[in-house]
Amino acid sequence: MISVESAIIGLFSFSIVLLALSFFKKDKYKELENQVENLTMIVMQENYQLKKKMKVLEEELLGNESYTVPLNERYETNGK
């Protein structure tokens, strides 16, 4: 029969081996994390470029008018 002491020593040894193996195992989520980070940066850059283009387009369309004033307010002041 296996004594309690030998069972504890065996389990402790097994846990040390598993701990050592965990350091050498490749982290498969690290690559996924890098891909998500790159995708996030690309989306943020595209969003910034679209906002810049929209601002230029609004300035061209509205001319000297302020493009921050809602259309309904602009028509109310011009119509009266």
Side-chain angles (χ1 to χ4, degrees), residues 31-43:
E31 183 179 340
L32 182 62
E33 183 180 338
N34 288 335
Q35 289 176 353
V36 169
E37 185 176 326
N38 289 337
L39 183 62
T40 302
M41 290 301 292
I42 290 170
V43 168

Side-chain angles (χ1 to χ4, degrees), residues 31-75:
E31 183 179 340
L32 182 62
E33 183 180 338
N34 288 335
Q35 289 176 353
V36 169
E37 185 176 326
N38 289 337
L39 183 62
T40 302
M41 290 301 292
I42 290 170
V43 168
M44 288 176 63
Q45 288 173 350
E46 289 179 358
N47 190 18
Y48 173 75
Q49 290 174 352
L50 283 173
K51 284 183 179 182
K52 229 167 62 170
K53 288 179 183 180
M54 285 295 295
K55 184 176 180 181
V56 169
L57 188 62
E58 286 175 344
E59 288 173 355
E60 288 178 3
L61 289 174
L62 298 175
N64 292 333
E65 294 181 33
S66 173
Y67 58 87
T68 57
V69 177
L71 289 175
N72 59 355
E73 291 179 16
R74 197 174 308 142
Y75 289 127

Side-chain angles (χ1 to χ4, degrees), residues 11-25:
L11 288 174
F12 186 69
S13 301
F14 184 65
S15 66
I16 291 174
V17 169
L18 288 178
L19 182 65
L21 288 175
S22 71
F23 286 113
F24 295 113
K25 183 181 176 199

